[in-house]
Amino acid sequence: MSALAPKAVTDAVGGPAQELSDASMVYNINMLFVALLAIYTIIRLPRLFSLLSIPWEWKNGHILYYTPYRPNRRIVQAMHSAYPPPKDNQTDESHTLYSHAHHVQRLTEKGAPVTMNPPSHIPACIKPLRPILTPLRARIAPGFSVAQLLVMSMYFYSLLYAAFYRSNIFTDSARTAWICISQLPFVFIFAQKNNVLGFILGYGYEKLNFFHRFVGRLVVLAANIHALHYFYKWSLKGTFTQSIKLPFAIWGIVTITCFNMIVFFSTQYWRQRAYNLFLATHIIGFIVIMPALYMHKPATLPYTFACIALYAFDHVARLVKSRLAVAHIRPLPELDLTRVEIPTINAGWRAGQHVRLRVISVKMGWLGWAEVHPFTIASVAESGPEGMVLMCKRAGGWTRKLHEIAKSGGYEEGGIGGREVRVVVEGPYGGPQHTVFSSFSAAVFVAGGSGITFALSAIQDLVQKDLRGASRVKIIELIWIVPNPACLAPVLPMLSMLVQQSVFTPLRISVFYTRAPTGKQPAFFAAASASPFADSPPSPPHPASRSGSASQSQYQRLSAQISNLSSSAHQPTHFPPGLTLAPGKPTLLKFIEHAINHAINMGNSNPKDVDEALNLTGVIVGVCGPVGLADDVAAAVSGVDPLRRDQVGGVELHEEVFGW
């Protein structure tokens, strides 16, 4: 055996020349990837610089904090001067909400006119390249676009070239090993929650996660090819038993076992049914892999250090961005949600971002405190005394337990009261990144179920910025798809308030329910009018009670609730103008076309008015919901007529998809 050991070791590690060649090859491939990332970064820099030129945008979105809440009186002044009671014969399109916006003036708290300061706009794609976006946006599988396929293909064939260039994969065992080791830092980079590369490029970690999974699978594939090569060679030589006992071989077996364990428990089956097991195998596996790699091959130390540094940076940043707080939770049965209010955290995020929530309570189970779940923030920073608001959909074991805790809080005046729990909030993450919603001429938001949280925060942010003169948006469309009309009840007060506040920017809200209503329906259901943009024929609208006195009382009540937009103690019995309810599914393309036409008409009618935005800056379409809904919205955006798309300045898509 002593005679075999030196030869086996020599076979395992390869000669110095071969080792240098393999290491140089993978290093050059990595430099190619870095160069491509640098080129793409340079292309994205103008948009990053545009974001950095808007202080109120880039200063938020990094660290959560608390600041004393001060109600904004400017909104109240604008509302009271802009909204006389509606008349009986006014429709949604002719309502004072839209026709009198040019008669009112934006005022500061002291009554002085607001200085208009709209943000600058940098399109994501220059006009000559816009036709390319349509095929790149096309879906070839649920949630998987042609653009993602191209990125993955380029990466795969680059590694394939590295594997076969001046090398025979059947005789050269070291090349695939170096490929495996050299790509590990990319696995860690694209898995980080606090991703510096993602910030520079303008993508949240959830948008880059598909590449993390793809690179990880290729790394494990290369590691297995490397291991199988030696198993086969040792078996042919009859030295398998002696060689497998060598220290480098033992550590190699440990490494490959951990790699395969991580991949096995990373499949969708385990992520959905045993998320804690998936997470634990990831953490334990990589903790073992790092020292095992070094013991197997000391020359891998630079790559190992790079992975450890990335991992440490991410977790230190998570600790810095975590806040311990007391939250008030209460159930919303109509939406099957748990509403979480955290008064001691009310600033530091941008509209559309999400946080990772951990509940510290024995009622969550023995390991419930260890689970962290992402939720989109449903409120705008510094917008109310309730602080940060989250809407947690009851979708799994953890969220079901949270819902049960909320229901156990008893009853208060006006409904279910809820209770207080201690939570750890980590974030904020994701969101619009380099995209500034307020820099577009029009905005369309599509939400599915609990995805309304994203749309609520984004629209509320746009309305507030518009009242401050810090928005170019001239029309906002909200399409919300729910299973039952009763889902509208908990958020109807806030939707009504947003309609009232959109003095200068028309806000039209279209709610669609996909199931036939059963049981007792809310009072507003009888006053709902069908939307004209439904796929299925809408049912005949019920006559709406629009008496002057009732409308006057409703508007006074809504105005009195300005300081607390999310109050659900009082639910209006009638829809405000601009809000409709209809059965079936929406025709999304028609809503996008309506927003485009409205923006173009406003730009043509008064092109010299500074308040109406001198240049059309495009339409932003945001979607939050299941993968299928995001795919439908992407198809609708691609279906926009190219001429109208160019006239409005382009159409951009922002996706917040469930299940990443």
Side-chain angles (χ1 to χ4, degrees):
M1 174 160 178
S2 59
L4 292 173
K7 186 177 188 305
V9 172
T10 303
D11 290 342
V13 300
Q18 180 66 28
E19 180 177 312
L20 179 61
S21 175
D22 293 336
S24 299
M25 170 57 69
V26 297
Y27 176 80
N28 292 333
I29 291 296
N30 282 353
M31 290 301 100
L32 171 64
F33 295 152
V34 171
L36 293 175
L37 285 173
I39 293 173
Y40 189 67
T41 299
I42 293 173
I43 296 174
R44 302 278 295 183
L45 278 182
R47 193 145 186 158
L48 175 60
F49 291 153
S50 175
L51 174 68
L52 297 178
S53 68
I54 311 172
W56 63 81
E57 291 285 352
W58 70 265
K59 286 184 178 179
N60 290 322
H62 310 293
I63 299 292
L64 301 173
Y65 62 93
Y66 172 79
T67 185
Y69 170 65
R70 296 178 181 177
N72 192 340
R73 305 301 299 176
R74 181 191 302 125
I75 298 178
V76 179
Q77 292 174 1
M79 284 184 60
H80 284 300
S81 61
Y83 287 103
K87 297 180 181 180
D88 294 343
N89 59 354
Q90 286 177 321
T91 65
D92 290 347
E93 293 294 335
S94 63
H95 190 261
T96 311
L97 173 67
Y98 306 143
S99 58
H100 285 94
H102 61 280
H103 294 306
V104 296
Q105 191 176 21
R106 297 175 175 88
L107 302 176
T108 65
E109 296 179 1
K110 297 181 180 180
V114 170
T115 301
M116 299 299 296
N117 185 28
S120 58
H121 177 77
I122 301 294
C125 180
I126 59 177
K127 184 177 179 180
L129 297 181
R130 285 174 189 162
I132 301 177
L133 291 181
T134 299
L136 290 179
R137 197 182 287 124
R139 299 310 200 250
I140 58 178
F144 188 71
S145 66
V146 173
Q148 291 173 308
L149 176 63
L150 288 178
V151 171
M152 293 165 60
S153 298
M154 291 175 58
Y155 179 81
F156 174 75
Y157 286 111
S158 297
L159 293 186
L160 199 65
Y161 171 81
F164 285 97
Y165 178 73
R166 293 184 179 179
S167 173
N168 188 335
I169 197 171
F170 298 103
T171 59
D172 183 3
S173 59
R175 181 65 63 88
T176 52
W178 278 104
I179 290 175
C180 166
I181 295 166
S182 66
Q183 300 311 299
L184 270 179
F186 290 104
V187 175
F188 280 79
I189 287 174
F190 291 105
Q192 285 184 301
K193 299 294 184 293
N194 300 278
N195 196 319
V196 177
L197 177 63
F199 172 76
I200 296 174
L201 296 177
Y203 299 107
Y205 74 91
E206 72 281 4
K207 302 294 191 305
L208 301 174
N209 191 259
F210 82 96
F211 200 65
H212 158 74
R213 296 195 299 267
F214 182 68
V215 176
R217 292 187 177 102
L218 291 184
V219 164
V220 176
L221 176 62
N224 278 280
I225 292 175
H226 170 68
L228 290 174
H229 178 94
Y230 277 102
F231 293 162
Y232 178 70
K233 185 166 64 173
W234 290 339
S235 298
L236 286 181
K237 292 182 178 181
T239 61
F240 183 87
T241 304
Q242 298 92 330
S243 300
I244 202 68
K245 296 178 181 178
L246 295 172
F248 84 90
I250 294 174
W251 287 111
I253 294 297
V254 172
T255 303
I256 198 67
T257 301
C258 290
F259 272 138
N260 290 327
M261 176 187 68
I262 290 173
V263 169
F264 177 75
F265 288 107
S266 297
T267 56
Q268 187 175 8
Y269 176 87
W270 293 106
R271 290 202 312 270
Q272 292 182 347
R273 291 169 174 79
Y275 183 83
N276 282 337
L277 181 60
F278 151 75
L279 187 62
T281 53
H282 250 66
I283 296 174
I284 296 173
F286 278 113
I287 289 176
V288 175
I289 284 173
M290 291 300 101
L293 269 178
Y294 172 75
M295 299 300 294
H296 175 67
K297 183 73 171 177
T300 63
L301 188 61
Y303 293 104
T304 303
F305 271 153
C307 296
I308 294 174
L310 291 169
Y311 186 84
F313 170 80
D314 182 39
H315 281 73
V316 170
R318 293 190 196 187
L319 184 62
V320 172
K321 298 178 73 168
S322 296
R323 297 290 180 270
L324 180 64
V326 175
H328 182 80
I329 61 174
R330 57 188 176 90
L332 299 179
E334 299 89 346
L335 283 171
D336 202 21
L337 294 172
T338 304
R339 179 183 173 92
V340 180
E341 298 176 1
I342 311 173
T344 55
I345 301 176
N346 67 350
W349 69 88
R350 293 176 64 195
Q353 287 190 300
H354 70 269
V355 294
R356 289 159 52 86
L357 183 69
R358 187 193 307 267
V359 177
I360 311 298
S361 172
V362 294
K363 294 187 177 181
M364 295 297 294
W366 288 103
L367 294 177
W369 61 270
E371 292 193 42
V372 185
H373 292 259
F375 298 103
T376 302
I377 304 172
S379 57
V380 176
E382 304 180 47
S383 63
E386 70 275 7
M388 177 184 289
V389 177
L390 307 175
M391 301 286 194
C392 306
K393 175 72 174 178
R394 188 172 60 170
W398 189 89
T399 49
R400 280 196 294 268
K401 292 177 183 176
L402 182 64
H403 195 74
E404 292 300 319
I405 295 176
K407 289 198 300 183
S408 67
Y411 290 82
E412 295 177 355
E413 182 180 355
I416 298 178
R419 62 180 301 163
E420 291 185 344
V421 294
R422 192 169 294 274
V423 298
V424 176
V425 183
E426 177 196 324
Y429 295 117
Q433 297 291 324
H434 295 175
T435 304
V436 180
F437 292 160
S438 57
S439 69
F440 290 83
S441 295
V444 179
F445 297 98
V446 183
S450 59
I452 189 63
T453 55
F454 166 78
L456 287 178
S457 61
I459 293 174
Q460 187 179 352
D461 183 62
L462 287 176
V463 170
Q464 292 182 3
K465 288 177 178 176
D466 182 64
L467 292 172
R468 298 197 306 265
S471 174
R472 296 180 182 272
V473 178
K474 296 306 169 188
I475 181 173
I476 304 174
E477 291 271 4
L478 170 60
I479 305 99
W480 186 22
I481 305 170
V482 295
N484 192 284
C487 297
L488 183 58
V491 295
L492 183 57
M494 185 171 186
L495 295 177
S496 302
M497 196 63 64
L498 288 175
V499 171
Q500 303 311 309
Q501 287 190 2
S502 58
V503 182
F504 305 94
T505 302
L507 168 61
R508 191 171 66 161
I509 303 173
S510 303
V511 182
F512 293 86
Y513 58 94
T514 57
R515 301 175 188 170
T518 57
K520 184 179 180 181
Q521 293 299 318
F524 62 75
F525 185 61
S529 58
S531 168
F533 297 148
D535 283 340
S536 58
S539 58
H542 297 278
S545 174
R546 295 183 180 269
S547 65
S549 59
S551 299
Q552 176 68 29
S553 174
Q554 177 188 356
Y555 275 75
Q556 290 176 349
R557 182 172 67 254
L558 292 172
S559 299
Q561 295 176 348
I562 284 202
S563 61
N564 188 5
L565 295 178
S566 49
S567 170
S568 60
H570 304 285
Q571 295 178 1
T573 58
H574 297 81
F575 279 5
L579 195 156
T580 60
L581 176 68
K585 294 183 179 180
T587 305
L588 298 172
L589 179 58
K590 291 184 179 179
F591 283 98
I592 299 174
E593 290 175 339
H594 179 269
I596 292 174
N597 294 335
H598 186 95
I600 292 175
N601 292 337
M602 290 193 69
N604 293 335
S605 63
N606 201 4
K608 296 183 179 180
D609 191 344
V610 177
D611 286 355
E612 298 299 332
L614 185 59
N615 298 315
L616 293 176
T617 54
V619 176
I620 180 65
V621 180
V623 55
C624 185
V627 173
L629 177 62
D631 292 347
D632 291 341
V633 174
V637 171
S638 298
V640 173
D641 180 71
L643 177 62
R644 302 298 282 175
R645 178 197 63 204
D646 291 338
Q647 286 178 337
V648 80
V651 181
E652 296 186 23
L653 176 63
H654 177 80
E655 300 179 54
E656 296 286 339
V657 179
F658 298 166
W660 45 261

